[in-house]
Amino acid sequence: MLWSRLQRGYNYCRNNPWPVVLFLLGAGIRIFYIGSIPGGLNQDEASIGYDAFSILHYGMDRNGMYLPVHLTAWGSGQNALYAYLSMPFILLFGLTPFSVRAVSLIMGLLGMMIFYLFSKTLFKSKSAGIAAMFFIAINPWHIMMSRWALESNLFPTLILITAYFALKAFQSPKWSYGFTVCGALSLYAYGTAYFFVPLFAVGIALYLLCTKKLSLRAALWNVGVFVLLALPILLFIIINHWKLPSIDTLLFSIPKLTTPRVEEISSVFGGDMWGAAGINFQNFLNLIISGSDGLPWNTINPYGYAYPIGLPFAVLGLVVMLKSVWKKEREAGPSFIILLWLAVSILMSFITSVNINRINIIFYPIIFFIVEGFLWLAHKVKVAGVVSAALFGLFFVLFATVYFRDYPRTIGPAFYESIGEAVHYASSESEGKIYVTTQVNMPYIYVLFYEKINPHDFLETVHYTNPGDAFQQVSSFGRYVFGRSDITSMEKAAYIIWNGEALPPESQHFSVTKFKNYSVLIPKDE
């Protein structure tokens, strides 16, 4: 059996060389130096990585919640699915930047394959599959999303898989259960799913029922499965909206957060809902037109989420798809899925304080439209298609060059590169207190991550400066103090400082070890 599968795989690669080559190109740029570019770790990466480590080895997150359906994290919460999916990699490779980013990488590779398979059905041609693999492999948003461990980066690919199951359900109703299960699981990936998934799922279900692709009996069974899987996150939403106590069960716990983050970033819970919705949509349009939200971990200027020439192709593709559906020139089901996906994403932009990662659900549809626009243009004017592909290829080469050559200098300080080395050195080379610079966002999480602190020890000794706030600041735990006091040789303490800080005269009593962005001061024996 294994030999026959290998033979089928070999035959497929031989008969479809271009999609395979393009996939390997896309895989290479997503894998290359993933543990060190971006350098360092974003605080949310360190947070979800440490909580995954803590649950894996101690059964609870750093806030003491047993197998939580949602992480408490800083106080205002962090979605838990990414943490649970990370555990096998942390078990195999230990708690490292690579083991935390492995889920993003695998979802990126899986996303390329599903995008290709979906496109072949959507556009009904072998050349369309090649074009789809080309555009997803070189897309800058997808590349950057695949290379770091923000939990929201899980959501778009889960919806892509959900959409693919819906596509398969047009052929056989049994696939509707895959659609239901994957859609329900995506509720645990990111807070925007609470709005997107119900509308998307209801729209697909009604379409399947109206086209008689799904029986009422099967639909009701799917509703039951969805409710069962979604019940814990529904209870989480209820508990935190109405400020009810946490729930602990034998299987999992549902925490009460200090402030539900999803309510902070959504205009639904604000006082001026309609005014906020207008501002949100205007910001959404600005982002779509400009291609960037200004955050260095989401885009690199001037390449944006789909290169400067991507949006015109997406608009062209949208027009072509709408026209073909209106004239019944193609099967409506696959196009309906993409158009519904786009519509719900746009609706979501009204209630969300927009940036790239909060509205990331819209980018797969945009790439589908880019493929559609390119195929139409290449069919009408072959030379224009060749020139367009060459331009996209050129932008990709320029983007990749900047990403691996120049981008590390930008993102390293933003991701606090070398703070882990400094923490580990100070911890191993000193015995007293360690004062850690506040020139790091949530510096305590890096101590927990790089020193792999037992969460019981953390909980027993932690002190917060603002307990109960949305982002609780740790003032100290164990021998670590956050917020540097004046450097003095009298206390015999070690200090971790930012390299942009000037060393005071008192530092002559310390041995200074410099790392890329941070230095460690250890008292000299005198």
Side-chain angles (χ1 to χ4, degrees), residues 139-141 190 278-308 310-312 314 345-346 348-350 352-364 366:
N139 180 263
W141 161 75
Y190 194 47
I279 294 171
N280 288 340
F281 187 67
Q282 183 178 355
N283 291 337
F284 165 75
L285 290 178
N286 291 339
L287 187 155
I288 294 297
I289 293 168
S290 69
S292 174
D293 60 4
L295 299 174
W297 42 84
N298 284 334
T299 57
I300 299 174
N301 287 329
Y303 306 103
Y305 59 82
Y307 302 120
L311 184 58
S345 300
I346 292 173
M348 196 175 72
S349 72
F350 285 95
T352 304
S353 179
V354 173
N355 61 26
I356 291 284
N357 48 276
R358 288 176 186 164
I359 201 65
N360 58 12
I361 196 62
I362 201 171
F363 296 118
Y364 273 123
I366 286 176

